[in-house]
Amino acid sequence: LEAPDELRGGRAGGPVVVLGAGGAARAAVYTALSLLERDVWVVNRTRARAEELAATWPAPNTGLRVQAADRNEVPWAQARLVINASSAGLNAPEDTPLPDFDFARLPENALVYDMVYKPADTRLMRDARAAGLRAANGLGMLAHQARLAFAAWTGVDVPARVFHAALETEKTGGTGDAT
């Protein structure tokens, strides 16, 4: 497995905050632990679901921790990467998993990564950028998934950037112009 390029900027220092507690959040926690080697805070609307997810990830001998938290318990000033793995913003681009959140609480080099890729620009991403933070959508993740599926079906390993370019072209209606 490989983390999308957008997440690589999140490796330096600090824990990862995962928003959500479903299947996508499980994949985000796995990535944070195994590929980024970061502690993880899981935040969900229902704390019990966050606790269930956190409990499935004992990390013996690694020194890494996964813990459930309410939004107000997260050490936001240390978080270098926030991953939205919830459904917020998926079908309603104005929904956000962090309503009324002060993004200035995050370090200036933090990345806000929204797994949502359609719409390409969510309220979470806009709010993060308005605070001067980097934000990325899940298109890179989708490209990596396409690469793995293509390789599984054909035995041919095509670079993820090829799929990413195809997705960008599709998103722009074939014009290459994302505006």
Side-chain angles (χ1 to χ4, degrees), residues 9-141:
R11 288 186 188 203
V16 173
V17 178
V18 174
L19 307 172
R26 182 175 301 278
V29 170
Y30 175 82
T31 298
L33 288 174
S34 64
L35 300 178
L36 303 178
E37 298 177 350
R38 308 289 353 135
D39 288 334
V40 181
W41 292 80
V42 179
V43 178
N44 192 58
R45 287 182 311 237
T46 308
R47 173 136 185 173
R49 292 220 38 226
E51 289 172 350
E52 284 176 31
L53 177 58
T56 64
W57 293 101
N61 306 321
T62 67
L64 298 174
R65 298 178 308 159
V66 179
Q67 53 195 68
D70 292 325
R71 204 170 100 170
N72 61 348
E73 298 172 321
V74 174
W76 294 105
Q78 299 170 20
R80 297 294 190 270
L81 175 60
V82 178
I83 301 174
N84 177 28
S86 76
S87 60
L90 186 59
N91 293 314
E94 294 308 312
D95 284 352
T96 177
L98 293 175
D100 305 316
F101 180 72
D102 179 7
F103 284 87
R105 295 174 63 189
L106 291 166
E108 64 183 22
N109 63 344
L111 169 65
V112 175
Y113 185 81
D114 198 334
M115 285 183 155
V116 172
Y117 51 84
K118 190 172 185 178
D121 197 40
T122 63
R123 177 177 162 197
L124 179 69
M125 294 171 57
R126 289 190 304 274
D127 289 348
R129 283 195 302 267
L133 300 173
R134 297 175 301 137
N137 67 22
L139 205 58
M141 175 191 65

